[in-house]
Amino acid sequence: LPLNIPAATGFASRNTNGAVLQSRGLEMDLGADIIRNDKFRWNLSANFSTNKNKVVSLAGVSAYVLEDSFIQNASLIPGQPFGVFLSTDFLKDASGNYILDANGFPQPGTTTEVIGDPNADWRAGLGSTFSYKDFSLFMLFDRVQGNDVFNGTRGSLYAFGTHGDQGNTVIVPAGGLRDVNGNLLAAGTSYQGEIRDFGAGPVALNQAWYRGRGTASTTASYKQFVEDGSATRLRELTLSYTLRTEKLKKKLKLSSINFSVTGRNLVLWTKYTGIDPESNVSGAGLSRGQDWFTNPNTRSFLASILINY
């Protein structure tokens, strides 16, 4: 790591093996035939893994921002898991509660803190194969649980005024609502946005909020855009047929021909509000869980013919 050193040395940083990491986990891989006879076979396969890692030390450095990190600062911090998000949240008191202004809105944060962890608590997969004579159907589901994702796409679209949350037409209820600038919106009038209660009663999230504290274009709070990235996927579905005949063996000298069609990334179940919790702005780098106008996984369909001699 290029760790900072005193300027009096004549250099800004020194490349060194300065990180000590600790990683402990468990992996299991199981498989069994549930049913098996001359014509039909049902096989189940499953895997499970969990890993808890921690940065033990950084050669005296208190925090190191990974080079491929984005604005929420995926960092190495002694005592924390690898690549946690080090950034801002709204102003809080000693008990961790938001300090609201006179209009009932949280105030911009002034310090950095750990606001999320992109590391999953556990991962698992479940595969099932059904075979009947020369036909076979394979299904693979996988689950990722407990990983945080920084939804910077949502935070930026708020500033542009083009996110779905801002497409709601809100009718102001009796008594009116105040916006973040203190303006009183009269009962019965309408605006585009949402109603939120931060702890001091309902307030109006309108353009004034989304262009100010409620966007990722400011440093008021990046934590408001950290979401649970837990997800379940139908990762693969394959239907295949194997042709085996005596004519193949005698005339073409072939043992079999296998025909198959496959679909991948077919269905996604998640509470994540972005397009795909697996997307990452820095790609396959050290920093993870950063969604910023990033392409989702592709859904693909394949057809294949396998000729066996």
Side-chain angles (χ1 to χ4, degrees), residues 185-204:
L185 308 182
T189 59
S190 64
Y191 66 93
Q192 297 298 117
E194 301 173 280
I195 297 177
R196 184 78 57 83
D197 187 346
F198 292 103
V203 293

Side-chain angles (χ1 to χ4, degrees), residues 104-157:
F105 288 84
Q107 303 176 72
T110 57
T111 59
T112 57
E113 60 183 82
V114 175
I115 63 171
D117 181 1
N119 299 284
D121 293 334
W122 54 266
R123 300 172 181 270
L126 178 64
S128 184
T129 304
F130 301 91
S131 302
Y132 178 73
K133 294 184 177 180
D134 295 325
F135 290 91
S136 177
L137 177 65
F138 171 72
M139 295 183 293
L140 176 63
F141 295 87
D142 64 41
R143 173 72 179 177
V144 180
Q145 178 68 37
N147 56 307
D148 289 330
V149 179
F150 174 72
N151 191 350
T153 305
R154 175 167 64 91
S156 187
L157 289 177

Side-chain angles (χ1 to χ4, degrees), residues 47 86 98 105 109 112 121 131 169 194 222 234 245 282 284 298 304:
N47 62 76
L86 179 65
Y98 287 142
F105 288 84
T112 57
D121 293 334
S131 302
T169 300
E194 301 173 280
Y222 287 137
L234 175 54
T245 66
S282 59
T298 57
S304 66

Side-chain angles (χ1 to χ4, degrees), residues 84-304:
V84 293
F85 302 151
L86 179 65
S87 197
T88 57
D89 191 13
F90 292 122
L91 195 63
K92 291 179 286 191
D93 60 22
S95 300
N97 301 312
Y98 287 142
I99 301 175
L100 306 181
D101 62 18
N103 300 315
F105 288 84
Q107 303 176 72
T110 57
T111 59
T112 57
E113 60 183 82
V114 175
I115 63 171
D117 181 1
N119 299 284
D121 293 334
W122 54 266
R123 300 172 181 270
L126 178 64
S128 184
T129 304
F130 301 91
S131 302
Y132 178 73
K133 294 184 177 180
D134 295 325
F135 290 91
S136 177
L137 177 65
F138 171 72
M139 295 183 293
L140 176 63
F141 295 87
D142 64 41
R143 173 72 179 177
V144 180
Q145 178 68 37
N147 56 307
D148 289 330
V149 179
F150 174 72
N151 191 350
T153 305
R154 175 167 64 91
S156 187
L157 289 177
Y158 280 171
F160 301 152
T162 56
H163 193 275
D165 292 347
Q166 299 159 301
N168 304 310
T169 300
V170 178
I171 305 299
V172 179
L177 294 172
R178 290 196 180 275
D179 68 10
V180 69
N181 292 332
N183 299 315
L184 180 61
L185 308 182
T189 59
S190 64
Y191 66 93
Q192 297 298 117
E194 301 173 280
I195 297 177
R196 184 78 57 83
D197 187 346
F198 292 103
V203 293
L205 302 190
N206 57 8
Q207 179 174 311
W209 169 260
Y210 291 121
R211 294 297 299 272
R213 302 176 202 175
T215 173
S217 297
T218 70
T219 59
S221 169
Y222 287 137
K223 187 174 182 178
Q224 63 183 312
F225 303 112
V226 175
E227 302 181 23
D228 181 9
S230 301
T232 300
R233 295 174 188 269
L234 175 54
R235 184 68 71 177
E236 182 175 326
L237 183 66
T238 298
L239 177 64
S240 62
Y241 171 73
T242 302
L243 178 63
R244 300 183 183 92
T245 66
E246 291 298 323
K247 291 183 178 180
L248 285 176
K249 295 179 180 180
K250 292 180 178 180
K251 293 186 176 181
L252 300 178
K253 307 300 183 182
L254 302 178
S255 61
S256 65
I257 301 177
N258 179 268
F259 304 88
S260 66
V261 289
T262 298
R264 292 178 178 161
N265 292 321
L266 296 178
V267 186
L268 169 64
W269 296 273
T270 182
K271 293 182 179 180
Y272 179 64
T273 63
I275 194 168
D276 190 336
E278 282 190 354
S279 61
N280 188 34
V281 68
S282 59
L286 294 176
S287 301
R288 290 161 293 160
Q290 308 170 109
D291 184 358
W292 193 273
F293 296 98
T294 314
N295 288 330
N297 277 322
T298 57
R299 179 181 295 133
S300 57
F301 300 92
L302 312 107
S304 66

